[in-house]
Amino acid sequence: MPVQKTTREEILEKAIDVFGRQGYHRTTMHDLAAACGLLKGSFYHYFNGKEALMEEVLRYSLDYFRKHIFSIAYRDELPAAERLRSMMEKSSVIILRNNQGCMFGNTVLETANVTAQFRETTQAFFTDWTAALAHLYRARYDPATALEHAEQTVMEMEGAIMLTKLSNNPQLLAGCRERVLKRFTQSAPSLPEQRTTNNE
Amino acid sequence: MPVQKTTREEILEKAIDVFGRQGYHRTTMHDLAAACGLLKGSFYHYFNGKEALMEEVLRYSLDYFRKHIFSIAYRDELPAAERLRSMMEKSSVIILRNNQGCMFGNTVLETANVTAQFRETTQAFFTDWTAALAHLYRARYDPATALEHAEQTVMEMEGAIMLTKLSNNPQLLAGCRERVLKRFTQSAPSLPEQRTTNNE
Amino acid sequence: MPVQKTTREEILEKAIDVFGRQGYHRTTMHDLAAACGLLKGSFYHYFNGKEALMEEVLRYSLDYFRKHIFSIAYRDELPAAERLRSMMEKSSVIILRNNQGCMFGNTVLETANVTAQFRETTQAFFTDWTAALAHLYRARYDPATALEHAEQTVMEMEGAIMLTKLSNNPQLLAGCRERVLKRFTQSAPSLPEQRTTNNE
Amino acid sequence: MPVQKTTREEILEKAIDVFGRQGYHRTTMHDLAAACGLLKGSFYHYFNGKEALMEEVLRYSLDYFRKHIFSIAYRDELPAAERLRSMMEKSSVIILRNNQGCMFGNTVLETANVTAQFRETTQAFFTDWTAALAHLYRARYDPATALEHAEQTVMEMEGAIMLTKLSNNPQLLAGCRERVLKRFTQSAPSLPEQRTTNNE
DNA sequence: TATGAATGAGCGTTCATTCAT
DNA sequence: GATGAATGAACGCTCATTCAT
């Protein structure tokens, strides 16, 4: 009966999946435990409760995005367009996996008016995402315009994720990605291939 | 002996508010009844249950958008830019009222993977919204491009609503509106003021 | 299914019984509900929770003691010894009923170091009981001595209740009552039958 | 590999403390383990379970009282009043330590009507205490009167402990002690200093 | 039409206990 | 001897729903 059946990290991965598909309030501790092959009660060896688990899920996911996705924007040795394309493609893989959509977008709509619990982490996600994109856009635009483009891209992506969830048609997300990319590449680069050298 | 304390319509209006703020799963029948000055039990004289109420709320809201907002796009006697501006402003008023955001966007993210119950109505909302915008955009673009612009605008707006909910800063939504409008007015109109004459 | 099955007051009476017999922590909401012929969930129509119910039980019981037992001490038209006898006999009936012992004594020992929740009400019980007895004893003693006698009697009674619970032998409580009464009647009354006229 | 972190006796001492403060039902195995610097699971190497531990705690404590406190009453070479004083003072030290009160009184009120598990040991405690005091009182009174005085003293002490727990005022217990002692010394000793020579 | 008591399933959580390591 | 993951029953409580009044 004892013997380790899972790990914190495995639980977090599963929880992203379950929360992502069902949302926070609809998901029960039983759902989460079952997804990990555990009983409800056993869950509390790993996490203090549902809220605490959600908080960790968000932080874990935020960490992942920071390390593996937003960081791409700052690899100034690569062409900016390539970085943008890579960022968006890698995001899309996560977003489309298991229909989970964007954990942070889901959480904002479901909880922002109901609890402050997850505000900090969700805000950090959108702030960092926007900052990464703004860094990229500064290869083409002045800082203010770059920021506006970054915001627009974030909004468009979140909207595309929503409609993808509704229609089950990943083409919508792909279309959005292409549109964003086209806007970027069509913006007249001042030089044949300018590298961004600015910082935030 | 008991006097009518409210009407179906009044309940629907209040329910939009409560569901909009708290989401579907988080909202209890008690919350809804209390918002209407009723007791839980009395609610079932008007609606068959939570799911049925939500369904009606969505239909009621969809009706409203069709009659008062999407319809604007088809008033071809007005300048297209004016129609676009008016649509977006009127949507924004509803969206910002009571922090409720977009009932349909909220519902998609919260329930799309969990139940098919609300799919039809939410899909109709996004289809009709996109169609209305596409109609407008056909004043400037060929049908395929117009459709793509319409989709982009819907996505951007939903993303803007999400970030507004998160940040409590209506400026984000206003910025999005202006951006959409600017894109539209800056697209070269083939004629001094072309009226759209096409249909869906 | 609906139709009133019980009343708040009936629940309080039953709860005194169950809490009195089993103690606070050992008693479950199911125990309480079952004692009232209700299901667990139905209980929450009457009380907000276990703690709130306990609080009300204590207040209800305190009220009863004040109105029907402590008040006897102040009926100065009756002989003091008679009042003392009556008070103690009436307390004993309650205490012996269903083995419940003294709700307040039980609650002090079980919760005083664990929560402040019930301190106020339990303190009020002992303060009022002591005050009532001190009023009686002032028929024989100076105020300071009267107070000490009152405290002694309260302590002795609570100890007697404890040993009665342990041994299931009501004779212990009866013996305590007689001892207290004998001390009182043997204390030389300054007048043939002095009536207390003092106030607290 | 694992080294002995504690001993049965150390655990019993800590458990007296925790049970004494929180009561039997409110105390969890985690509370007990934590107080000993152990994890819950390790506890079961020393004791078979909560009930068994409580049983041992009561026996261990009873042993202590028999050896170090009740035994004082039988040291007939000392003046009776001195023995009474010593007994009560030593009890008080234990009772006041960590607010734990009287383990046996606590346990009676919390469990007597719920389980027979602890009846034997708690009864033994009160029987032995009473017997020790009765032995002392026989230095002044005939056996029947001595027994009654002993019972009265036990009751008064337990009541005093209860009120001390409620008020956090150790003066109440001290007052009780003095009262008991005064009654004893004021009772006319038949001889200048009679030594008790009777046995139970 | 409105009430609100009652239901019963199920929620998040706790906890005494077991046992492979 | 010590660990701590796992269990599973039960806890306090919530909630959508029913229905006699």
Side-chain angles (χ1 to χ4, degrees):
Chain A
M1 277 169 216
V3 286
Q4 183 103 350
K5 292 181 72 170
T6 186
T7 63
R8 274 180 72 86
E9 195 156 340
E10 220 176 319
I11 289 178
L12 288 170
E13 296 279 5
K14 300 280 188 189
I16 286 174
D17 201 72
V18 179
F19 276 136
R21 243 178 311 115
Q22 307 194 333
Y24 178 70
H25 289 112
R26 173 60 206 265
T27 297
T28 69
M29 292 304 272
H30 171 80
D31 293 339
L32 294 161
C36 301
L38 290 175
L39 290 177
K40 239 182 353 169
S42 312
F43 227 76
Y44 290 80
H45 277 281
Y46 296 94
F47 299 96
N48 286 329
K50 192 181 177 184
E51 223 171 69
L53 172 60
M54 183 59 161
E55 186 62 45
E56 288 216 50
V57 159
L58 292 172
R59 283 189 202 289
Y60 178 84
S61 193
L62 174 56
D63 259 17
Y64 182 88
F65 272 89
R66 281 171 169 165
K67 272 189 204 134
H68 299 101
I69 296 183
F70 300 159
S71 63
I72 297 171
Y74 301 97
R75 298 178 57 189
D76 294 338
E77 72 279 10
L78 299 177
E82 177 56 25
R83 285 178 266 157
L84 181 58
R85 194 197 48 72
S86 172
M87 266 184 76
M88 289 198 299
E89 277 179 7
K90 290 200 172 157
S91 313
S92 296
V93 170
I94 295 168
I95 280 154
L96 295 173
R97 184 171 35 184
N98 302 332
N99 268 345
Q100 70 193 33
C102 172
M103 271 297 297
F104 300 92
N106 296 345
T107 304
V108 167
L109 290 202
E110 202 184 339
T111 70
N113 284 323
V114 150
T115 170
Q117 190 72 32
F118 311 126
R119 175 150 299 161
E120 194 187 312
T121 316
T122 49
Q123 255 167 353
F125 173 82
F126 286 106
T127 303
D128 287 14
W129 189 9
T130 306
L133 288 171
H135 177 82
L136 271 180
Y137 282 113
R138 282 199 291 273
R140 297 284 190 279
Y141 306 102
D142 68 279
T145 311
L147 181 61
E148 175 139 28
H149 272 276
E151 279 176 355
Q152 181 188 351
T153 297
V154 167
M155 290 173 182
E156 210 173 329
M157 288 284 286
E158 285 294 330
I161 292 163
M162 181 185 286
L163 294 188
T164 299
K165 196 163 193 170
L166 175 61
S167 66
N168 253 319
N169 173 16
Q171 210 45 47
L172 283 169
L173 187 54
C176 171
R177 248 163 31 223
E178 282 164 31
R179 204 158 51 231
V180 168
L181 211 52
K182 200 165 99 185
R183 279 204 302 273
F184 188 80
T185 53
Q186 286 184 348
S187 64
S190 24
L191 303 174
E193 182 44 58
Q194 185 197 39
R195 300 285 154 86
T196 50
T197 54
N198 45 12
N199 292 326
E200 296 180 70
Chain B
M1 191 196 310
V3 285
Q4 182 101 355
K5 291 185 68 172
T6 186
T7 63
R8 278 177 70 86
E9 196 157 339
E10 220 176 320
I11 290 177
L12 288 170
E13 296 278 4
K14 299 282 189 189
I16 287 174
D17 201 70
V18 180
F19 275 135
R21 242 178 310 116
Q22 309 194 331
Y24 177 70
H25 289 112
R26 174 62 205 263
T27 297
T28 70
M29 293 302 273
H30 171 80
D31 293 339
L32 294 160
C36 300
L38 289 175
L39 290 172
K40 248 188 336 176
S42 314
F43 228 76
Y44 290 81
H45 284 286
Y46 294 93
F47 299 96
N48 285 328
K50 193 181 176 183
E51 222 172 68
L53 172 60
M54 184 60 160
E55 186 61 45
E56 288 215 50
V57 159
L58 291 172
R59 284 190 202 289
Y60 178 83
S61 193
L62 174 57
D63 261 15
Y64 181 89
F65 272 90
R66 281 172 168 164
K67 272 189 204 134
H68 299 101
I69 295 184
F70 301 158
S71 63
I72 296 171
Y74 302 98
R75 298 178 57 189
D76 293 337
E77 73 279 11
L78 299 177
E82 177 55 28
R83 284 178 268 157
L84 180 57
R85 195 198 47 73
S86 171
M87 265 184 78
M88 288 198 300
E89 277 178 7
K90 290 199 170 157
S91 313
S92 296
V93 170
I94 296 169
I95 280 153
L96 295 173
R97 180 172 21 164
N98 302 331
N99 268 345
Q100 71 192 32
C102 172
M103 271 296 296
F104 300 92
N106 296 344
T107 304
V108 167
L109 290 202
E110 203 184 339
T111 70
N113 284 323
V114 152
T115 170
Q117 190 73 29
F118 312 125
R119 174 150 298 160
E120 194 188 312
T121 316
T122 49
Q123 256 168 351
F125 173 83
F126 285 105
T127 303
D128 287 13
W129 189 9
T130 306
L133 287 170
H135 177 82
L136 270 180
Y137 281 113
R138 282 198 292 272
R140 296 285 191 277
Y141 305 102
D142 67 279
T145 312
L147 181 60
E148 176 139 28
H149 271 277
E151 278 177 355
Q152 181 188 351
T153 297
V154 167
M155 290 174 182
E156 210 174 330
M157 288 284 285
E158 285 295 331
I161 292 163
M162 181 184 287
L163 294 188
T164 299
K165 196 161 194 171
L166 176 59
S167 68
N168 254 318
N169 174 16
Q171 209 46 45
L172 282 169
L173 188 54
C176 171
R177 248 164 29 224
E178 282 164 31
R179 205 159 48 231
V180 168
L181 211 52
K182 201 164 99 183
R183 278 204 303 272
F184 189 79
T185 52
Q186 287 184 347
S187 64
S190 24
L191 303 174
E193 181 44 59
Q194 186 196 39
R195 302 285 157 85
T196 51
T197 53
N198 46 14
N199 291 327
E200 299 180 69
Chain C
M1 278 170 219
V3 285
Q4 183 104 347
K5 292 180 71 171
T6 186
T7 63
R8 274 178 74 86
E9 195 156 340
E10 219 177 322
I11 290 178
L12 289 170
E13 298 278 5
K14 299 279 189 190
I16 286 175
D17 202 72
V18 180
F19 275 135
R21 242 178 310 117
Q22 308 194 332
Y24 179 70
H25 290 112
R26 171 62 205 264
T27 297
T28 71
M29 290 307 271
H30 171 80
D31 292 339
L32 293 161
C36 302
L38 291 175
L39 289 177
K40 236 180 0 167
S42 312
F43 225 76
Y44 290 81
H45 277 283
Y46 295 94
F47 298 96
N48 286 330
K50 192 182 175 182
E51 224 171 66
L53 172 60
M54 183 59 162
E55 186 62 45
E56 288 216 49
V57 159
L58 291 172
R59 284 190 202 288
Y60 178 84
S61 193
L62 174 57
D63 260 16
Y64 182 88
F65 271 90
R66 281 171 168 164
K67 270 188 206 136
H68 299 100
I69 296 183
F70 301 158
S71 62
I72 296 172
Y74 302 97
R75 298 179 56 189
D76 293 338
E77 73 279 12
L78 299 178
E82 177 56 26
R83 284 178 267 158
L84 180 59
R85 195 198 49 72
S86 171
M87 266 184 77
M88 290 198 298
E89 276 178 10
K90 290 200 170 155
S91 313
S92 296
V93 170
I94 296 170
I95 281 153
L96 294 174
R97 183 174 14 163
N98 303 330
N99 268 345
Q100 69 192 33
C102 172
M103 272 295 298
F104 300 92
N106 296 344
T107 304
V108 167
L109 289 203
E110 203 184 339
T111 71
N113 283 324
V114 151
T115 171
Q117 191 71 32
F118 312 126
R119 174 150 301 160
E120 195 188 313
T121 315
T122 48
Q123 256 167 352
F125 172 82
F126 285 105
T127 303
D128 287 12
W129 188 10
T130 306
L133 288 171
H135 176 82
L136 271 181
Y137 283 111
R138 282 198 292 273
R140 298 284 191 279
Y141 306 101
D142 68 281
T145 311
L147 180 61
E148 175 140 26
H149 271 276
E151 279 176 354
Q152 180 188 351
T153 297
V154 167
M155 290 173 183
E156 210 173 329
M157 288 284 285
E158 286 294 332
I161 293 164
M162 181 185 287
L163 294 189
T164 298
K165 196 163 194 170
L166 175 61
S167 66
N168 254 316
N169 173 16
Q171 209 46 44
L172 283 169
L173 188 54
C176 171
R177 247 164 32 223
E178 281 164 31
R179 206 159 48 231
V180 169
L181 210 52
K182 200 165 101 184
R183 279 203 303 272
F184 189 79
T185 52
Q186 288 184 345
S187 65
S190 24
L191 303 175
E193 182 45 57
Q194 185 197 39
R195 300 285 155 84
T196 50
T197 53
N198 46 11
N199 292 325
E200 297 180 72
Chain D
M1 191 195 310
V3 285
Q4 182 100 357
K5 292 183 68 172
T6 185
T7 63
R8 279 177 68 86
E9 195 158 339
E10 222 177 318
I11 290 178
L12 289 170
E13 296 278 4
K14 299 283 188 189
I16 286 175
D17 201 71
V18 179
F19 276 135
R21 242 179 309 117
Q22 307 193 334
Y24 178 70
H25 290 111
R26 173 61 206 263
T27 296
T28 70
M29 292 303 272
H30 172 80
D31 292 339
L32 294 161
C36 301
L38 289 175
L39 290 172
K40 246 190 334 179
S42 313
F43 228 76
Y44 289 81
H45 284 285
Y46 296 94
F47 298 98
N48 285 329
K50 193 181 176 182
E51 221 170 70
L53 172 60
M54 184 59 162
E55 186 61 44
E56 289 216 49
V57 159
L58 291 172
R59 283 189 202 288
Y60 178 84
S61 193
L62 175 56
D63 261 16
Y64 181 89
F65 271 90
R66 281 170 167 164
K67 273 188 205 135
H68 299 99
I69 296 184
F70 301 158
S71 63
I72 297 172
Y74 302 97
R75 297 176 59 190
D76 294 338
E77 73 280 10
L78 300 178
E82 177 55 26
R83 284 177 268 158
L84 180 58
R85 194 196 49 71
S86 172
M87 267 183 77
M88 290 198 298
E89 277 180 8
K90 290 200 171 156
S91 313
S92 295
V93 170
I94 296 170
I95 280 154
L96 295 173
R97 183 172 39 185
N98 303 330
N99 268 346
Q100 68 192 36
C102 173
M103 272 294 298
F104 300 92
N106 296 344
T107 303
V108 167
L109 290 202
E110 202 183 340
T111 70
N113 284 322
V114 150
T115 170
Q117 190 72 29
F118 311 126
R119 174 149 301 160
E120 194 188 314
T121 317
T122 49
Q123 256 168 350
F125 173 83
F126 285 105
T127 302
D128 287 13
W129 189 9
T130 306
L133 288 170
H135 177 84
L136 270 180
Y137 282 112
R138 282 198 291 274
R140 297 285 191 276
Y141 305 100
D142 68 280
T145 310
L147 180 61
E148 175 140 30
H149 271 277
E151 279 177 355
Q152 180 187 352
T153 297
V154 167
M155 291 173 182
E156 210 173 330
M157 288 285 285
E158 285 295 330
I161 293 164
M162 181 184 286
L163 294 188
T164 298
K165 196 161 194 171
L166 175 60
S167 67
N168 253 319
N169 174 15
Q171 209 47 45
L172 283 169
L173 188 53
C176 172
R177 245 161 36 221
E178 282 164 31
R179 204 159 48 231
V180 168
L181 211 52
K182 201 166 99 183
R183 278 205 302 273
F184 189 79
T185 52
Q186 287 185 347
S187 65
S190 23
L191 305 174
E193 181 44 57
Q194 186 196 39
R195 301 286 155 85
T196 49
T197 53
N198 45 12
N199 292 326
E200 298 178 70

